[in-house]
Amino acid sequence: QVHLVESGGGVVQPGRSLRLSCAASGFTFSNYAMHWVRQAPGKGLEWVAFISYDGSKKYYADSVKGRFTISRDNSKKTLYLQMNSLRAEDTAVYYCATSPYSSGWSYFDYWGPGMLVTVSS
Amino acid sequence: EIVVTQSPATLSVSPGERATLSCRASQSVSTNLAWYQQKPGQPPRLLIYGASTRATGIPARFSGSGSGTEFTLSISSLQSEDFAVYYCHQYSGWPAFGQGTKVEIK
């Protein structure tokens, strides 16, 4: 079955960088688009970034554009989120989520357990 | 930008009763709408996509309806495991979630 596991989170100071990883298994990773979605403590869900199956298309929420970069390594079945210039408002649980399609907008059919990122001095 | 609004924010329901949750989009999203259930400390779980199609393994007591701008998630007879927060999500354009409806025990 589909299995997603995020890693790389933790506590980081404002202005610093962090890279999240999402290891995938149980499906043909290279065939499907992927997303990052986050949830601030006690708040709702916020979509963060999208990458197509081959990495040729990438889209970002306005709140992270220019600071975050989504990427993938299909040979390693791993999704990444490079987060630079972190702010206190980036504090959240970050989820990786699968798309049922190779590209384009869609619902999120499988989710990882999430990884907490805390931005604090 | 499509804005998604859910109502009510909190719904108090007795076990065995029916729950009806609403989701409204600021412009038409056709049937590009999904519903998720989230319990504390867990990731969201896909319930409904395409406005009315149940995801794999979702019980038949969950049903979705609507198109365009108005959508409904119904839970026909609430079980103890159904008390949770429910989010709708439009994927017609840039993804947007509603703010969530908490279904609590009355």
Side-chain angles (χ1 to χ4, degrees):
Chain A
Q1 72 277 22
V2 173
H3 194 54
L4 302 169
V5 179
E6 301 92 346
S7 61
V11 180
V12 62
Q13 293 179 330
R16 303 297 291 265
S17 298
L18 206 60
R19 188 177 82 158
L20 299 182
S21 299
C22 170
S25 61
F27 66 107
T28 307
F29 180 74
S30 58
N31 286 356
Y32 298 97
M34 296 290 294
H35 297 261
W36 288 100
V37 178
R38 69 183 180 183
Q39 186 170 35
K43 303 296 184 183
L45 300 168
E46 179 189 17
W47 170 77
V48 173
F50 160 94
I51 187 167
S52 60
Y53 73 105
D54 60 354
S56 63
K57 297 179 182 178
K58 302 177 184 181
Y59 303 117
Y60 301 92
D62 286 345
S63 57
V64 306
K65 196 175 299 181
R67 300 187 299 121
F68 289 13
T69 301
I70 189 172
S71 62
R72 65 192 297 159
D73 186 332
N74 285 342
S75 67
K76 295 182 178 179
K77 300 180 182 179
T78 302
L79 175 72
Y80 302 100
L81 186 68
Q82 177 68 42
M83 303 184 292
N84 298 333
S85 302
L86 282 161
R87 306 167 180 168
E89 54 265 35
D90 295 319
T91 295
V93 173
Y94 286 74
Y95 299 101
C96 59
T98 63
S99 165
Y101 308 126
S102 60
S103 189
W105 299 125
S106 72
Y107 52 92
F108 311 130
D109 48 359
Y110 296 98
W111 299 63
M115 176 58 60
L116 178 62
V117 172
T118 302
V119 184
S120 174
S121 54
Chain B
E1 177 192 356
I2 300 174
V3 177
V4 180
T5 304
Q6 290 185 243
S7 62
T10 304
L11 187 61
S12 298
V13 186
S14 299
E17 289 188 340
R18 182 182 190 87
T20 302
L21 289 65
S22 295
C23 177
R24 174 177 293 178
S26 61
Q27 64 189 73
S28 177
V29 299
S30 185
T31 55
N32 296 311
L33 189 109
W35 290 92
Y36 304 87
Q37 176 193 68
Q38 188 178 33
K39 298 178 181 179
Q42 297 184 18
R45 178 175 71 144
L46 177 67
L47 297 176
I48 301 285
Y49 63 92
S52 61
T53 302
R54 276 189 303 276
T56 303
I58 301 303
R61 64 180 182 274
F62 291 91
S63 64
S65 64
S67 66
T69 62
E70 301 284 342
F71 301 88
T72 300
L73 174 70
S74 297
I75 312 171
S76 60
S77 176
L78 272 161
Q79 308 296 303
S80 57
E81 61 267 29
D82 300 335
F83 292 96
V85 179
Y86 292 83
Y87 294 95
C88 60
H89 155 221
Q90 72 79 19
Y91 50 95
S92 178
W94 293 85
F97 291 93
Q99 73 275 32
T101 291
K102 181 179 181 180
V103 177
E104 64 177 23
I105 301 175
K106 186 175 182 180

